[in-house]
Amino acid sequence: MGGGENMGQLAQPCRRQKMQQDHLDVDPLFIRFLRTFKEVLKFVLFSYTVLFEPAADPGQLRSRARYRDTLSESLTMAGAGGGNSDVQWCFSQVKGAIDDDVAEADIISTVEFNHSGELLATGDKGGRVVIFQQEPESKNQPQCRGEYNVYSTFQSHEPEFDYLKSLEIEEKINKIRWLPQKNAAQFLLSTNDKTIKLWKISERDKRPEGYNLKEEDGRYRDLNTVTTLRVPVFRPMDLMVEASPRRVFSNAHTYHINSISVNSDCETYLSADDLRINLWNLEINDRSFNIVDIKPTNMEELTEVITAAEFHPNQCNTFVYSSSKGTIRLCDMRASALCDQHAKQFEEPEDPNNRSFFSEIISSISDVKFSHSGRYMMTRDYLSVKIWDLNMESRPVETYQVHEYLRSKLCSLYENDCIFDKFECCWNGNDSVVMTGSYNNFFRMFDRGYRQDVTLEASRENSKPRSVLKPRKVSTGGKRKKDEISVDSLDFNKKILHTAWHPLDNIIAVATTNNLYIFQEKLN
């Protein structure tokens, strides 16, 4: 401890010098806040003068009208993109067949960027995983980021049959989660309803030649013909991407797996089904530890199921899981081995005025995501997105209505089973914007800082390279404007359930039925 004491003595300035510097010790973030507040105040005062004070002459009236139109347009087109009021989104790519007849196996069931954003993985109902790689940026077109092209395709899961329960197990990929990269290879977890697999994605551009006991085609040589000893050498070859299964984690879930989440310790991960959550070690595939079990002794007393679960991005002992009753429970694995007793419970009191037959169904949480900072978490129910502060359990700090205009359509949505759709949600890289999907191939963005929202559409009609996406609006009744679409005209068969946001750039991936749309920020 002697070194610490010496450092303390060296760090002590004379008392007089310290007194002179005390008044200068101001947090630079506070100074930046004051400057920003000053600029915002100037803008508000100027806008008030232009918009509301009486004009002296007709010329001023015309200029103020132009200013109002420009201000309105900029607020509409703006920065629901990246915490920046100048962001505009443009079309980049679309993957998948154009045919109207969509095969069931081709429907995309999950989308996930890796931690650098260089790779983008999709899973489908046919059990396939397709990985896209971002190409290097072109020097001739610096305003256009590198496109994503197919990097690897492999069959992750096959259909199975449980003979004991007479139950068919689908090959559909429910979730994909990337592991942080530690060497040249990439690793990802993929799961269907029952089995989780760890895949290694690696590149090979050299092959060994000159074996002593094998021919070049792989056949073993006659030992009597081996008269000399050769040293094998590596020869260049065309780049080949290999996907090989490293481990298979099975036989641990009685019910369908709905979530997997890699821990921040990079050694463990959790898997959740309707009633249980298991903790796995990535190196051990023959056993797991049950950390949550909400199955009642009598199944007739079952009132809720687990809908999603995720580890905290920074604290390896903390995870959350959501339920079909609209509650989110935060658990601390340091408290006990079995986390049936939660550390915190987040639940918003129900508004009695909105109580209806469908209240329980639409309050079910379909997705939960921690912010990258770990301070907030986001939940998605059928009609809204809510942002929760981990330090406040009583109510969300922000609530965004995704498609409130559908509240009057809940009866028909119940009849066609759309009310049970599971929409996912995602954060942008700096947690300032959230995104989620809707019907009619619409997807919604909510800018938390500017309190703005925008509705955009993934459509082949707007698939010209670098064409700017125009905001869409839904008319709920009365006189419909030119660019608005009536709520009665929405196509509920076209839906965006799965979205992903590049962790570093304003690049988003949106999955329609069997197509993957990639949009990016328009660069001037």
Side-chain angles (χ1 to χ4, degrees):
M1 294 296 100
E5 293 172 1
N6 292 338
M7 288 299 292
Q9 292 172 0
L10 289 173
Q12 287 180 358
C14 68
R15 184 176 300 176
R16 182 176 180 182
Q17 189 177 11
K18 186 177 188 301
M19 290 175 62
Q20 291 175 349
Q21 293 180 352
D22 273 350
H23 68 284
L24 297 176
D25 189 16
V26 180
D27 190 344
L29 289 176
F30 181 68
I31 295 175
R32 192 188 308 174
F33 166 76
L34 289 177
R35 288 174 180 165
T36 306
F37 181 74
K38 178 183 176 184
E39 294 300 321
V40 171
L41 190 60
K42 286 167 60 178
F43 173 75
V44 170
L45 291 173
F46 174 71
S47 300
Y48 180 83
T49 303
V50 171
L51 296 175
F52 300 109
E53 284 194 0
D57 55 68
Q60 275 189 329
L61 281 173
R62 286 192 297 271
S63 63
R64 290 183 182 185
R66 283 196 301 270
Y67 177 80
R68 281 195 296 268
D69 294 341
T70 304
L71 182 63
S72 174
E73 184 178 354
S74 64
L75 289 174
T76 306
M77 294 286 288
N84 177 333
S85 60
D86 296 328
V87 173
Q88 288 183 332
W89 291 96
C90 65
F91 172 83
S92 177
Q93 293 172 270
V94 60
K95 306 289 185 181
I98 311 176
D99 302 338
D100 292 334
D101 295 332
V102 180
E104 183 77 10
D106 294 334
I107 296 176
I108 297 173
S109 54
T110 184
V111 181
E112 187 78 9
F113 279 102
N114 74 336
H115 292 77
S116 67
E118 180 189 2
L119 299 177
L120 173 62
T122 65
D124 60 28
K125 288 191 173 182
R128 297 180 298 264
V129 172
V130 181
I131 301 175
F132 301 92
Q133 183 183 42
Q134 189 177 26
E135 300 295 331
E137 291 186 15
S138 171
K139 294 182 179 179
N140 299 328
Q141 292 182 317
Q143 76 279 5
C144 184
R145 294 185 181 88
E147 293 187 342
Y148 284 84
N149 293 318
V150 175
Y151 179 65
S152 176
T153 303
F154 58 92
Q155 188 73 30
S156 174
H157 288 72
E158 300 281 356
E160 300 175 40
F161 192 81
D162 188 335
Y163 293 96
L164 292 176
K165 299 180 179 178
S166 297
L167 183 69
E168 186 177 355
I169 302 171
E170 291 184 342
E171 65 270 34
K172 172 193 167 188
I173 307 297
N174 291 338
K175 295 290 179 183
I176 291 175
R177 290 292 179 264
W178 291 91
L179 273 65
Q181 187 175 8
K182 295 182 178 179
N183 49 40
Q186 297 274 359
F187 290 85
L188 64 81
L189 289 167
S190 63
T191 183
N192 66 350
D193 287 341
K194 299 291 183 181
T195 305
I196 306 162
K197 295 184 180 182
L198 174 65
W199 292 89
K200 178 183 179 182
I201 318 297
S202 56
E203 296 180 353
R204 265 195 2 193
D205 59 356
K206 292 181 175 63
R207 66 180 177 188
E209 291 182 359
Y211 287 111
N212 290 286
L213 303 179
K214 282 197 303 186
E215 300 289 353
E216 299 302 330
D217 58 3
R219 290 183 295 110
Y220 283 95
R221 299 172 63 183
D222 185 356
L223 296 179
N224 296 323
T225 63
V226 179
T227 58
T228 59
L229 182 64
R230 296 184 294 177
V231 178
V233 295
F234 280 99
R235 303 287 185 195
M237 60 175 282
D238 293 336
L239 179 66
M240 182 172 66
V241 180
E242 291 181 321
S244 54
R246 305 300 289 176
R247 285 176 190 83
V248 177
F249 307 88
S250 58
N251 303 322
H253 285 279
T254 307
Y255 307 98
H256 291 179
I257 299 172
N258 55 47
S259 302
I260 52 176
S261 179
V262 181
N263 200 347
S264 59
D265 62 11
C266 301
E267 294 182 359
T268 57
Y269 75 93
L270 65 77
S271 58
D273 64 23
D274 293 336
L275 297 178
R276 295 188 179 99
I277 299 177
N278 293 334
L279 180 69
W280 300 83
N281 188 301
L282 288 163
E283 302 291 332
I284 304 171
N285 64 342
D286 60 352
R287 65 180 180 273
S288 62
F289 298 94
N290 180 232
I291 54 176
V292 172
D293 188 348
I294 64 170
K295 182 181 178 182
T297 306
N298 181 4
M299 285 296 284
E300 293 182 359
E301 299 174 0
L302 182 67
T303 58
E304 62 179 340
V305 295
I306 298 170
T307 56
E310 186 174 67
F311 265 121
H312 192 279
N314 307 319
Q315 301 170 8
C316 62
N317 56 283
T318 306
F319 68 93
V320 295
Y321 68 92
S322 57
S323 80
S324 56
K325 294 182 73 173
T327 60
I328 312 102
R329 296 178 177 92
L330 184 142
C331 300
D332 189 340
M333 292 191 292
R334 296 172 301 183
S336 63
L338 189 63
C339 299
D340 287 348
Q341 298 298 320
H342 49 267
K344 291 185 177 183
Q345 178 168 306
F346 301 84
E347 185 175 14
E348 184 177 23
E350 184 182 4
D351 184 358
N353 297 325
N354 292 330
R355 180 72 184 171
S356 69
F357 171 77
F358 307 104
S359 293
E360 280 195 24
I361 302 175
I362 63 175
S363 66
S364 174
I365 294 173
S366 57
D367 196 16
V368 57
K369 293 278 175 61
F370 277 108
S371 63
H372 296 87
S373 66
R375 171 68 187 273
Y376 302 95
M377 66 178 173
M378 167 172 52
T379 60
R380 172 70 154 95
D381 56 39
Y382 189 68
L383 293 179
S384 65
V385 168
K386 296 174 182 177
I387 311 294
W388 300 80
D389 188 323
L390 295 190
N391 297 324
M392 189 171 77
E393 307 164 52
S394 56
R395 64 178 63 86
V397 291
E398 301 163 31
T399 300
Y400 302 104
Q401 301 301 331
V402 179
H403 36 221
E404 182 65 20
Y405 46 79
L406 294 182
R407 190 176 289 275
S408 60
K409 304 285 183 182
L410 292 178
C411 187
S412 57
L413 290 168
Y414 179 78
E415 291 174 357
N416 61 20
D417 286 344
C418 285
I419 200 171
F420 301 105
D421 286 334
K422 307 297 182 184
F423 291 95
E424 296 177 3
C425 52
C426 62
W427 301 83
N428 73 335
N430 60 9
D431 301 333
S432 61
V433 183
V434 297
M435 176 174 65
T436 190
S438 182
Y439 294 104
N440 208 70
N441 282 354
F442 288 168
F443 58 99
R444 303 267 283 142
M445 290 183 180
F446 303 94
D447 189 310
R448 301 176 59 209
Y450 288 87
R451 293 291 177 173
Q452 297 169 8
D453 63 272
V454 66
T455 303
L456 301 173
E457 182 181 9
S459 169
R460 287 190 177 270
E461 297 175 1
N462 302 324
S463 58
K464 294 180 181 178
R466 294 189 294 281
S467 60
V468 177
L469 299 185
K470 295 182 179 179
R472 302 303 305 270
K473 289 187 177 180
V474 177
S475 172
T476 55
K479 191 174 182 181
R480 184 165 59 91
K481 296 181 181 178
K482 179 182 178 183
D483 295 331
E484 292 182 343
I485 180 172
S486 170
V487 66
D488 297 319
S489 303
L490 296 176
D491 188 345
F492 295 108
N493 292 318
K494 295 180 179 180
K495 62 191 79 172
I496 293 177
L497 302 178
H498 314 287
T499 60
W501 201 307
H502 192 290
L504 305 175
D505 292 327
N506 275 339
I507 299 175
I508 56 175
V510 171
T512 58
T513 310
N514 67 322
N515 294 127
L516 180 70
Y517 286 84
I518 299 175
F519 303 102
Q520 66 180 28
E521 175 189 359
K522 183 181 180 183
L523 300 178
N524 297 323

